[in-house]
Amino acid sequence: MDFLRPQTWSDALAAKADDVDVVPIQGGTDVMVEMNFDLHRPGGLLDLNPISELTEWQQLPDGTLRVGAGVPYVRIIAELGDRLPGISQASRTVGSPQIRNRGTVGGNLGGASPAGDLHAPLLAAGAIVEVESAARGVRMIPATEFYLGVKRNCCEPDELIRAFHVVPAAGPQYFSKIGTRNAMVIAVCSFSIALFPQEGRVGTGLGSAAPTPRRAYDAENYLAAELDWDGALDPRVSEEFGRLVSAAASPIDDVRGTADYRKHALSVMARRTLGWAWRDLTAARKVA
């Protein structure tokens, strides 16, 4: 097996162009597990750890946050938790402290597992994924277009994930996950919500509930239209929102849970996260 360790981003792109089958690795929290269980034996590994720019984040002139693909979960929690609350909450649920110290959102995106914890809040927040190749340069891909199938994303063979872009939260955001235990577990299903009160808009994300992470568009549109953004949350609106979120899912039966259980759980999580978000929004209105 080849082990490539480029020192610059341009060298990494060149190496990927020379051998499109080489697997990029940063934290290695997914790649090494698959190798240890002999589920995937790549011909080569492309170690991106020396490339310091991947571990940096910045606020762009338009206010958007650009977060490098190599920023680990612990830094997202510590440094961006106030601006990206949904993504930060999901980061707190990933694996163990050791995994959170090594694992990255870029790795989550590259693996594209339907059960990946970060996909739902990225979708709810309207994130955009920045990828690049040596031949064609940079592409900006909305998260809604990034996932193609089970563990398949839309990156071309010679492309590498460089960063994700997201606008800081303009309202409450929440992430909820159900597992077979409280920690170090793959999600049975997950859900994320983002409220954009100034725009009268809602974002959602569903995880481990379909072949790909997805949004619940009908639920978003219904909730945005029915909410009294300056008033109280109608329980009937919350109930219908949960039903529409459940209807957006197309889960399977597997060893972690049945399809029926996942759909029921998504409905419950949708109602609960909406209630938490509305509580925060109400509190913010009182302060203002």
Side-chain angles (χ1 to χ4, degrees):
M1 178 187 295
D2 294 328
F3 185 78
L4 308 178
R5 207 162 196 260
Q7 300 300 302
T8 67
W9 179 247
S10 60
D11 288 343
L13 293 177
K16 184 63 170 169
D18 289 342
D19 183 0
V20 297
D21 293 324
V22 71
V23 174
I25 185 171
Q26 186 109 28
T29 57
D30 284 336
V31 173
M32 297 309 298
V33 170
E34 290 188 349
M35 290 178 60
N36 287 338
F37 282 93
D38 208 24
L39 298 175
H40 184 208
R41 187 64 58 176
L45 294 176
L46 181 65
D47 181 14
L48 301 177
N49 280 283
I51 305 172
S52 60
E53 71 170 85
L54 294 179
T55 64
E56 299 170 355
W57 65 267
Q58 63 186 133
Q59 188 154 10
L60 302 178
D62 66 355
T64 300
L65 291 170
R66 180 185 182 273
V67 183
V71 176
Y73 298 119
V74 288
R75 287 187 52 208
I76 289 177
I77 296 166
E79 300 171 23
L80 294 169
D82 58 337
R83 282 170 280 191
L84 303 178
I87 293 171
S88 177
Q89 289 167 22
S91 296
R92 291 179 184 275
T93 74
V94 175
S96 63
Q98 295 91 333
I99 296 296
R100 292 192 291 275
N101 271 285
R102 294 295 300 164
T104 65
V105 178
N108 227 216
L109 287 166
S113 167
D117 291 317
L118 274 294
H119 305 311
L122 288 170
L123 286 166
I128 296 174
V129 184
E130 177 184 341
V131 305
E132 188 173 359
S133 71
R136 296 176 305 283
V138 173
R139 280 201 301 152
M140 303 296 285
I141 308 166
T144 50
E145 301 173 12
F146 187 76
Y147 310 102
L148 298 183
V150 177
K151 295 189 175 183
R152 290 175 49 235
N153 61 47
C154 68
C155 290
E156 297 294 336
D158 62 342
E159 287 181 324
L160 294 173
I161 299 170
R162 191 170 188 176
F164 70 90
H165 297 237
V166 65
V167 176
Q173 297 181 358
Y174 273 94
F175 172 80
S176 183
K177 167 182 172 180
I178 288 179
T180 53
R181 59 184 184 181
N182 286 334
M184 296 178 64
V185 65
I186 298 173
V188 174
C189 57
S190 63
F191 179 76
S192 190
I193 188 171
L195 299 184
F196 302 85
Q198 293 182 342
E199 304 174 49
R201 184 167 63 85
V202 177
T204 61
L206 284 68
S208 201
T212 66
R214 62 172 57 168
R215 285 170 59 181
Y217 289 109
D218 288 346
E220 293 176 8
N221 294 334
Y222 167 80
L223 189 60
E226 294 297 324
L227 282 175
D228 177 359
W229 288 92
D230 296 314
L233 177 61
D234 188 333
R236 291 174 297 179
V237 171
S238 179
E239 189 75 22
E240 179 63 9
F241 175 64
R243 188 192 70 79
L244 290 170
V245 166
S246 175
S250 54
I252 60 171
D253 296 331
D254 64 14
V255 295
R256 288 180 286 121
T258 66
D260 286 343
Y261 175 76
R262 285 184 164 100
K263 290 176 77 70
H264 170 73
L266 283 165
S267 176
V268 173
M269 287 191 292
R271 297 196 305 271
R272 287 180 179 174
T273 54
L274 172 58
W276 300 334
W278 203 258
R279 176 199 62 198
D280 290 358
L281 188 61
T282 301
R285 286 200 302 261
K286 290 179 180 178
V287 172

